[in-house]
Amino acid sequence: MEQQICSERASARVGALLEEIQQRLFDDVEGARRLIDQAIQVLQAPSAASPARTGGLAPWQARRVARYIDENLERALTVAELAAVGGVRPGYFGKAFKSSFGVSPHAMVLQRRVARAKILIAQGEDPLKDIALACGFSDQSHLTNRFHRLAGMTPAAWRRLHATPVFHAPGDDRGGCVQLDLRAQA
């Protein structure tokens, strides 16, 4: 019974964090990242419901590697490089990483790249080819392929759903625009 209560508390806390992340995602990216880190800590915290974790990265190693990935998404990342950041041998790193995060290093890098692409796509009108390069994809086609697999839609469809519309003001011969934020304010 106590295990179920701990699990419900963790679920409630993560749910609250995710709602706050969703509200801040477009206006306060750094704040949203801090909240994501908090949610990860809640999910990784040992509880009475889960046995002690063995074979994974230490929490400080996991945080360091995750931060390094986020800070270097625009370039190629190797397992050897990530292992060095975590201070472990490359042969051990893959298994330890998966034990800590639940996905392989490659899968996590792709998830984080797509997450960054979502933010960049929703924030502006930059061409998808530029966003692809800024997120570490080799080209727009690579971004579209991975984005569609992880998000269930193409980047262009994501942009149509999440971008802030820009309307030209009637009678404005100077080409001026009026930008309307139609997202619900919380």
Side-chain angles (χ1 to χ4, degrees):
M1 184 65 160
E2 186 176 328
Q3 295 173 349
Q4 184 178 359
I5 292 170
C6 289
S7 178
E8 289 173 1
R9 285 183 190 152
S11 294
R13 177 71 178 133
V14 170
L17 286 168
L18 290 173
E19 286 178 14
E20 193 170 347
I21 290 166
Q22 188 176 20
Q23 292 172 359
R24 290 187 183 194
L25 190 59
F26 295 103
D27 301 322
D28 182 13
V29 176
E30 285 304 314
R33 279 192 179 157
R34 285 190 300 274
L35 292 171
I36 289 169
D37 288 340
Q38 288 178 21
I40 290 170
Q41 289 175 358
V42 169
L43 291 172
Q44 291 178 342
S47 68
S50 62
R53 187 183 69 189
T54 59
L57 298 171
W60 68 268
Q61 290 172 312
R63 283 191 302 273
R64 180 184 283 179
V65 171
R67 188 177 317 114
Y68 186 82
I69 289 171
D70 285 340
E71 292 171 355
N72 293 282
L73 285 176
E74 70 282 351
R75 60 184 197 75
L77 297 169
T78 65
V79 169
E81 179 181 358
L82 296 176
V85 169
V88 297
R89 291 176 287 107
Y92 170 78
F93 180 75
K95 185 175 181 178
F97 188 95
K98 187 162 186 170
S99 176
S100 295
F101 291 100
V103 294
S104 69
H106 179 70
M108 182 171 181
V109 169
L110 286 176
Q111 290 171 356
R112 299 283 177 110
R113 284 180 174 161
V114 168
R116 179 174 290 169
K118 286 178 179 180
I119 292 168
L120 294 176
I121 290 168
Q123 282 180 343
E125 292 294 320
D126 292 337
L128 292 177
K129 64 181 182 134
D130 294 342
I131 291 172
L133 296 175
C135 294
F137 293 103
S138 57
D139 55 23
Q140 182 176 340
S141 175
H142 188 206
L143 165 67
T144 300
N145 180 292
R146 299 304 179 182
F147 195 100
H148 189 269
R149 283 187 186 182
L150 292 174
M153 66 178 68
T154 64
W158 178 267
R159 175 172 273 161
R160 283 190 297 272
L161 285 174
H162 295 90
T164 304
V166 176
F167 298 95
H168 292 280
D172 187 356
D173 58 347
R174 295 171 292 145
C177 296
V178 176
Q179 188 167 13
L180 301 175
D181 189 352
L182 301 177
R183 293 174 288 181
Q185 298 294 323

